[in-house]
Amino acid sequence: MKQEHQGNLLNPLPVALVGANVDGKPNYLVIGYISPFDFGKHIFFSLYKKRHTRKGIHENGTFSVNIPSEVLIEETKLCGSKSGREFDKSTLFDTFYGALGTAPMIRECPINMECEVVEVLDYDPNEGIIGRVVKSYINSECIVDGKLDIRRARPFVWATGGDYNYYRLGDRIE
Amino acid sequence: MKQEHQGNLLNPLPVALVGANVDGKPNYLVIGYISPFDFGKHIFFSLYKKRHTRKGIHENGTFSVNIPSEVLIEETKLCGSKSGREFDKSTLFDTFYGALGTAPMIRECPINMECEVVEVLDYDPNEGIIGRVVKSYINSECIVDGKLDIRRARPFVWATGGDYNYYRLGDRIE
């Protein structure tokens, strides 16, 4: 039987750490409402305006997207529960920079993308941020026969709408 | 070691069937680049302009998002491989309508959302479609103690960027 439901039901969702330099220091937040766009040449994500990282995204016009492995779940939870206003998240990870120079990326994450902001949509109290993907990086151990094998990145996903749990990636459906 | 990579690396991603009435008949396509937006009050997805379903989305200003279970994987593959121009996808599923009246939803999918188009972004050859979620529906067997348990919906995810496989949802991380 179908029943009406309040709250997001589009599940499960990828978990990403979005990074930006705020006042010259790397900051990272957890974004769960994020999607590739335009064949993956762009990325879209939903950003709550009160997030500390927003200041850096607007100031620099750049951000990064980092896909954490399951071994980083505690650091991910910390990034999701504490604000960069009160906690220096730059100490949690080894940060590196790429072509843009201002989009801090997390070396411990097997997958990283650096992006340039091209459009900001105002859906108060949230913003839709659209970035052009300038360069993407992957740990070589995630490549098998020249192709990505996502299982080797050991990513995790989450569910919203009342569930609010993290899940492992399951078996490949052959 | 980090290496540069071409193609989308934001993974894994949810698999959704987006529905619209095209020339008065329900049509469904597979969308893998989709995200909740604005606390889930809106949905964003990336739509290739050549898709047959686009005509219906523009004509009616409405669409649906349906989350298939693993038992629907063959129907999902068919929706992803054939165009509504050459194959009548309305015969694949039992369609129902909700408050909007023009957004066809798939009864066999445990999760359904009906949406009203509020903005279309032109990123030629793709469009970013933003819809307001008008009503959401869930099968009652997916609710445990008044809350969604996403495992009961048996959704699946996919990976792009070279992997291009479907995966089951794995264990809940406690």
Side-chain angles (χ1 to χ4, degrees):
Chain A
M1 199 188 72
K2 300 269 177 204
Q3 58 182 74
E4 282 186 41
H5 191 88
Q6 301 299 315
N8 174 59
L9 279 179
L10 173 50
N11 283 305
L13 299 163
V15 173
L17 290 160
V18 166
N21 276 353
V22 183
D23 301 328
K25 197 185 281 184
N27 199 52
Y28 299 101
L29 88 169
V30 184
I31 294 286
Y33 290 177
I34 187 165
S35 170
F37 175 32
D38 182 29
F39 297 147
K41 288 186 279 183
H42 290 83
I43 280 180
F44 168 93
F45 70 93
S46 181
L47 179 65
Y48 184 40
K49 288 185 183 177
K50 289 189 179 166
R51 295 280 172 254
H52 187 58
T53 309
R54 176 176 177 251
K55 193 182 170 207
I57 294 171
H58 280 256
E59 272 180 7
N60 302 298
T62 60
F63 64 90
S64 72
V65 177
N66 307 272
I67 305 297
S69 289
E70 195 187 323
V71 293
L72 296 174
I73 199 149
E74 291 307 320
E75 288 83 352
T76 302
K77 283 182 183 170
L78 200 55
C79 282
S81 63
K82 296 224 183 243
S83 168
R85 285 184 200 93
E86 64 200 34
F87 179 76
D88 182 1
K89 298 184 194 172
S90 71
T91 62
L92 284 175
F93 306 107
D94 182 15
T95 291
F96 75 102
Y97 292 90
L100 289 170
T102 55
M105 290 179 277
I106 300 173
R107 194 171 302 279
E108 292 89 338
C109 287
I111 290 172
N112 318 93
M113 290 153 268
E114 48 175 331
C115 303
E116 186 176 53
V117 176
V118 293
E119 192 167 353
V120 177
L121 309 170
D122 191 4
Y123 279 67
D124 195 63
N126 292 284
E127 281 178 345
I129 306 284
I130 298 173
R132 183 175 70 84
V133 181
V134 172
K135 266 191 186 169
S136 300
Y137 307 86
I138 188 164
N139 282 14
S140 48
E141 66 265 24
C142 300
I143 304 286
V144 178
D145 296 332
K147 285 192 279 189
L148 167 67
D149 185 329
I150 193 65
R151 296 172 295 191
R152 294 193 166 215
R154 299 190 66 208
F156 50 100
V157 295
W158 73 309
T160 71
D163 186 301
Y164 303 123
N165 285 282
Y166 288 125
Y167 291 90
R168 291 189 182 91
L169 187 69
D171 296 332
R172 185 179 278 185
I173 301 173
E174 304 290 354
Chain B
M1 198 188 73
K2 299 270 177 202
Q3 59 182 74
E4 282 185 41
H5 191 87
Q6 302 297 317
N8 175 60
L9 279 179
L10 173 50
N11 283 305
L13 299 163
V15 173
L17 290 161
V18 166
N21 276 353
V22 183
D23 301 328
K25 197 185 279 184
N27 198 53
Y28 299 101
L29 88 168
V30 183
I31 293 287
Y33 290 177
I34 187 165
S35 170
F37 174 32
D38 182 29
F39 298 147
K41 288 185 279 185
H42 290 83
I43 279 179
F44 168 94
F45 70 93
S46 182
L47 179 65
Y48 185 40
K49 287 185 184 177
K50 289 188 178 166
R51 294 280 173 255
H52 186 57
T53 309
R54 175 175 178 255
K55 194 182 169 208
I57 294 171
H58 279 256
E59 272 179 6
N60 303 298
T62 60
F63 64 89
S64 72
V65 177
N66 307 272
I67 306 296
S69 289
E70 196 187 323
V71 293
L72 296 173
I73 199 149
E74 290 308 321
E75 289 83 351
T76 302
K77 283 181 183 169
L78 200 57
C79 282
S81 63
K82 295 224 183 244
S83 169
R85 285 184 200 92
E86 65 200 33
F87 179 77
D88 181 1
K89 298 185 195 172
S90 70
T91 62
L92 284 175
F93 306 107
D94 182 14
T95 292
F96 74 102
Y97 292 89
L100 289 170
T102 55
M105 291 180 277
I106 299 173
R107 195 172 300 280
E108 292 88 338
C109 287
I111 289 172
N112 318 94
M113 289 153 269
E114 49 176 330
C115 303
E116 185 176 54
V117 176
V118 293
E119 192 167 353
V120 178
L121 308 170
D122 191 4
Y123 280 67
D124 195 64
N126 292 284
E127 282 178 342
I129 307 283
I130 298 174
R132 182 175 71 85
V133 180
V134 172
K135 266 191 186 170
S136 300
Y137 308 86
I138 188 164
N139 282 12
S140 48
E141 66 266 24
C142 299
I143 303 286
V144 177
D145 296 332
K147 285 192 279 190
L148 167 67
D149 185 329
I150 192 65
R151 296 172 295 190
R152 294 191 165 216
R154 298 190 66 209
F156 50 99
V157 296
W158 73 307
T160 70
D163 186 300
Y164 302 121
N165 285 283
Y166 287 126
Y167 291 91
R168 292 189 181 91
L169 187 69
D171 297 332
R172 184 179 278 186
I173 301 173
E174 303 289 354

